């Protein structure tokens, strides 16, 4: 039996296509982009007048109760804090830097800065709290040259602040100011004692479409982070693109429970922007898709029923056991859910299937599961599958106002985009900016796409990996790393977190595998509490991977899809040397460069006992 989808309004899924003689393909929506405001915080002002008592943002306090602020209260906060920032002489040349996680104070400071034309930059907390050398934090602060820094907890961020900031820097904290001896340390509560003047309105009136709203730093997967300029035009046009593609957000005020970090475009532009643009409510989720914090997310979802739920694939995967075992949680989660939206990577098909099965068992309907393609440089919404699809990896069609250019690049089609949502460039990096755009002004995303049906382009596009990751074997055969990596992770689920594919200028493929420690530990429960090295060397774990390597090889269609040898890596990827981004995504090239000895072991004539060796039909532990 085929179950129906829950009724959800979608925009027009249409496209106009032009083929050039050189093989380039141009695509765009026939629907023009509607009008949008010059400043994003105009929407805060609008909702403060029309729905003053509706909750804009909420977060649990220390006692676990929800601390809420209405649109009227939030608008007042923006004026007060905007005055405080103006009093400190901040500007695009002296912006606001925010080091800490998502919280209400973070949100109000960033929006207040936007309101009066001062850019802010939310910097990954990992650069302060996970890094040991603070190299990326120093780089970012050197690019920004901030006039003020906010870090919620003075004690938690003390080491990073004292190691990277000059003593005269203006620092604001919510608590534990005494942990920062010397310097200019202000409590956030003291900023709120300022009385706003007409200077706030005057500064707001000067904010226009080309005013810099914020800087978002790329994750540094190809080097040191780059500061992507985000203008008001980018943010506002992108929100209009979203509601024309997904009008569900405008039909009723959306309700979100969301953990996605605001130093990334998915959480910081897309999700908080949808909330503000459409008069919705955002509950800040203090959980994350990691074993120590997933319970917090589940607790929040037991109380808050979202209208749309955003997450990365790992987040959905970690929620499944709870949804599977708790009927009340399922009933709350699906009660008013109109859509599931994933981004950051392809959703494993087994996760997709189980989400659909749980929805059917709970409400008798399927919930549309959709995604798209975007980047920090596109604010981020650029392509979207704005119709119910039945498989992972569909990125859809260019949204209204977005021009798409597909350029032949080897065996792939490289994605380039142009539109009002695209960044003018990178802050203080003119040479990098020039290389990011082609001669027609299209931003080169570095991604590849392919048609679901080349004869019917209106059926949409599939993600086809990152151009820079692909390589050739010695046979001259191209290896498409992105799709292969996705198939590997899906096949080895739930025992793999990520995989790095090796084989450039080699005869065949091999891989370094980062395991899912908790799921691998379930294969050897007697090792409870043991470290990663003990788990990956356990005979039961290695036998499981040997068996799965054999079945994966049996499905291969040739040398470009068959992995012959793997090593289960016992050392987590390093943020400081660029092996992993602050989002947790793997930098394939950096891992291969920094783990040369492991790669050589994979290809040795007599590999060590760490290597699991396979073939088309059989596999064994060397």
């Amino acid at each position: 039996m085929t179950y129906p989808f829950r009724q959800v309004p979608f925009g027009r899924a249409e496209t106009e296509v032009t083929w050039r003689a050189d093989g380039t393909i141009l695509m765009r929506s026939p629907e023009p982009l509607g009008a949008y405001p010059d400043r994003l915080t105009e929407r805060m002002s609008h909702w403060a007048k029309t729905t003053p008592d509706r909750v804009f943002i909420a977060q649990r306090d220390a006692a676990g109760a929800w601390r809420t602020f209405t649109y009227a209260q939030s608008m007042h906060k923006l004026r007060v804090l905007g005055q405080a920032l103006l009093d400190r002489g901040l500007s695009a040349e002296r912006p606001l830097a925010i080091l800490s996680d998502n919280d209400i104070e973070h949100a109000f400071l960033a929006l207040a800065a936007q309101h009066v034309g001062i850019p802010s930059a939310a910097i990954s907390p990992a650069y302060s709290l996970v890094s040991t050398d603070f190299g990326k934090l120093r780089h970012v602060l050197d690019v920004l040259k901030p006039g003020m820094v906010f870090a919620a907890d003075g004690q938690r961020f003390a080491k990073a602040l004292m190691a990277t900031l000059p003593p005269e820097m203006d620092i604001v904290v919510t608590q534990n100011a005494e942990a920062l001896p010397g310097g200019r340390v202000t409590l956030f509560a003291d900023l709120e004692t300022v009385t706003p003047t007409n200077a706030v309105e005057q500064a707001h009136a000067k904010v226009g479409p080309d005013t810099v709203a914020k800087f978002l730093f790329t994750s540094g997967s190809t080097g040191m982070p780059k500061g992507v300029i985000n203008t008001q035009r980018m943010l506002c046009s992108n929100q209009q693109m979203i509601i024309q593609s997904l009008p569900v957000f405008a039909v009723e005020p959306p309700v979100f429970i969301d953990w996605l970090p605001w130093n990334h475009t998915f959480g910081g532009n897309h999700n908080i922007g949808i909330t503000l643009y459409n008069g919705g409510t955002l509950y800040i989720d203090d959980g994350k898709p990691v074993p120590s914090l997933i319970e917090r997310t589940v607790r929040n979802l037991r109380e808050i029923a979202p209208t749309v739920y955003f997450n990365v694939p790992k987040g959905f995967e970690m929620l499944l056991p709870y949804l599977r075992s708790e009927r009340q949680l399922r009933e709350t989660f699906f009660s008013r859910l109109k859509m599931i939206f994933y981004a950051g990577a392809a959703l494993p098909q087994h996760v997709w299937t189980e989400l659909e099965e749980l929805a059917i068992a709970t409400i008798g309907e399927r919930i549309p599961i959709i995604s798209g393609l975007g980047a920090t440089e596109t604010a981020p919404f650029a392509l979207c599958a704005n119709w119910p699809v039945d498989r992972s990896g569909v990125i859809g069609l260019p949204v209204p106002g977005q021009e798409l250019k597909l350029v032949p690049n080897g065996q792939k089609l490289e994605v380039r985009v142009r539109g009002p949502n695209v960044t003018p460039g990178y802050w203080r990096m003119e040479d990098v900016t020039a290389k990011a755009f082609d001669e027609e002004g299209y931003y080169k995303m570095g991604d590849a796409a392919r048609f679901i049906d080349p004869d019917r382009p209106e059926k949409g596009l599939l993600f086809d990996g990152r151009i820079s990751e692909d390589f050739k074997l010695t046979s001259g055969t191209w290896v498409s790393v992105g799709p292969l990596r996705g198939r590997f992770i899906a096949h080895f689920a739930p025992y793999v977190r990520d995989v790095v594919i090796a084989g450039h200028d080699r005869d065949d493929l091999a891989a370094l595998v980062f395991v899912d420690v908790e799921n691998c530990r379930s294969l050897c429960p007697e090792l409870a509490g043991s470290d990663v090295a003990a788990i990956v060397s356990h005979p039961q774990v290695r036998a499981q991977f040997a068996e799965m390597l054999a079945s994966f090889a049996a499905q291969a269609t040739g040398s470009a899809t068959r992995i012959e040898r793997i090593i289960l890596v016992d050392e987590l990827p390093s943020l400081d040397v660029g092996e992993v981004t602050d989002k947790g995504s793997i930098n394939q090239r950096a891992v291969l460069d920094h783990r040369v000895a492991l790669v050589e072991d994979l290809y040795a004539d007599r590999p060590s006992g760490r290597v699991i060796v396979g073939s088309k039909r059989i596999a064994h532990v060397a």
Side-chain angles (χ1 to χ4, degrees), residues 36-336:
Y36 50 86
D38 288 341
R39 317 162 187 87
L40 187 61
T41 58
E42 286 182 23
R43 301 302 289 167
M44 180 72 82
S45 178
H46 168 77
W47 299 116
K49 294 174 183 176
T50 58
T51 59
D53 297 327
R54 183 183 298 153
V55 172
F56 163 58
I57 197 164
Q59 183 181 22
R60 290 194 189 276
D61 61 19
W66 287 106
R67 175 179 168 226
T68 63
F69 287 87
T70 66
Y71 274 90
Q73 292 170 326
S74 300
M75 188 67 239
H76 177 68
K77 291 274 190 185
L78 264 58
R79 296 189 69 251
V80 169
L81 294 171
Q83 182 68 57
L85 296 176
L86 290 173
D87 290 346
R88 282 161 170 76
L90 300 187
S91 65
E93 299 300 321
R94 300 181 68 248
L96 168 67
I98 301 175
L99 271 58
S100 45
D101 297 296
N102 299 4
D103 63 26
I104 286 175
E105 290 75 20
H106 177 157
F108 285 150
L109 270 176
L111 289 171
Q114 279 192 42
H115 190 67
V116 296
I118 297 168
S120 66
I123 301 168
S124 170
Y127 296 169
S128 298
L129 303 176
V130 178
S131 174
T132 57
D133 64 7
F134 305 123
K136 289 188 175 181
L137 178 60
R138 284 193 182 89
H139 167 79
V140 170
L141 293 174
D142 184 59
V143 171
L144 281 178
K145 297 177 174 55
M148 189 172 86
V149 173
F150 172 70
D153 189 328
Q155 184 172 357
R156 189 171 180 230
F157 286 86
K159 187 175 180 180
L161 291 169
M162 290 190 290
T164 59
L165 297 178
E168 68 274 12
M169 177 59 67
D170 207 350
I171 300 172
V172 176
V173 298
T174 308
Q175 60 184 352
N176 294 323
E178 68 280 359
L180 297 165
R184 299 174 58 187
V185 184
T186 304
L187 283 171
F188 181 87
D190 292 335
L191 297 183
E192 298 181 293
T193 63
V194 174
T195 300
T197 69
N198 287 337
V200 173
E201 279 64 42
Q202 293 169 0
H204 178 68
K206 295 177 181 177
V207 177
D210 294 317
T211 301
V212 179
K214 62 168 68 174
F215 303 107
L216 282 175
F217 281 81
T218 62
S219 55
S221 59
T222 56
M224 278 295 181
K226 302 185 292 289
V228 180
I229 300 168
N230 280 235
T231 65
Q232 290 287 344
R233 187 193 316 278
M234 288 173 62
L235 302 186
C236 295
S237 67
N238 207 229
Q239 288 301 317
Q240 184 61 30
M241 292 174 177
I242 290 171
I243 63 169
Q244 286 183 228
S245 302
L246 303 171
V248 62
F249 295 122
V251 171
E252 63 174 321
V255 175
F256 303 140
I257 174 76
D258 190 40
W259 70 270
L260 290 157
W262 295 339
N263 57 287
H264 292 303
T265 189
F266 190 5
N269 279 357
H270 188 272
N271 298 356
I272 202 169
I274 293 172
T275 307
L276 181 55
Y277 204 77
N278 299 284
T281 301
L282 176 68
Y283 290 86
I284 298 174
D285 178 10
D286 55 346
K288 288 182 181 179
V290 296
S292 60
L293 295 174
I294 187 63
E295 288 279 1
R296 294 187 186 182
T297 292
V298 173
R299 174 196 181 190
N300 294 330
L301 287 172
R302 290 186 183 115
E303 297 182 22
I304 308 301
T307 56
V308 173
Y309 190 63
F310 304 105
N311 216 326
V312 294
K314 190 61 183 179
F316 289 108
E317 186 174 353
M318 294 193 73
L319 277 178
L320 282 179
Y322 298 93
L323 291 170
R324 192 185 303 129
S325 62
E326 296 184 34
R327 180 168 185 83
Q328 186 59 53
L329 174 64
R330 289 199 305 274
E331 290 177 349
T332 300
F333 181 70
F334 290 114
S335 61
R336 56 178 178 177

Side-chain angles (χ1 to χ4, degrees), residues 343-366:
L347 188 67
Q349 194 60 45
H350 74 279
V351 176
W352 179 298
T353 300
E354 186 162 2
L355 284 170
E356 282 202 333
E357 291 172 349
L358 289 169
I360 290 168
T362 307
I363 59 174
E365 296 176 307
R366 291 187 287 171

Side-chain angles (χ1 to χ4, degrees), residues 4 19 84 128 132 166 177 190 226 239 288 363 399 436 455 458 475 478 481 506 517 576 581 617:
W19 285 269
S128 298
T132 57
D190 292 335
K226 302 185 292 289
Q239 288 301 317
K288 288 182 181 179
I363 59 174
V399 300
D455 296 325
E458 71 276 6
S475 63
W478 272 104
V481 171
R506 304 275 190 171
V517 176
D576 287 335
T581 71
R617 296 298 177 187

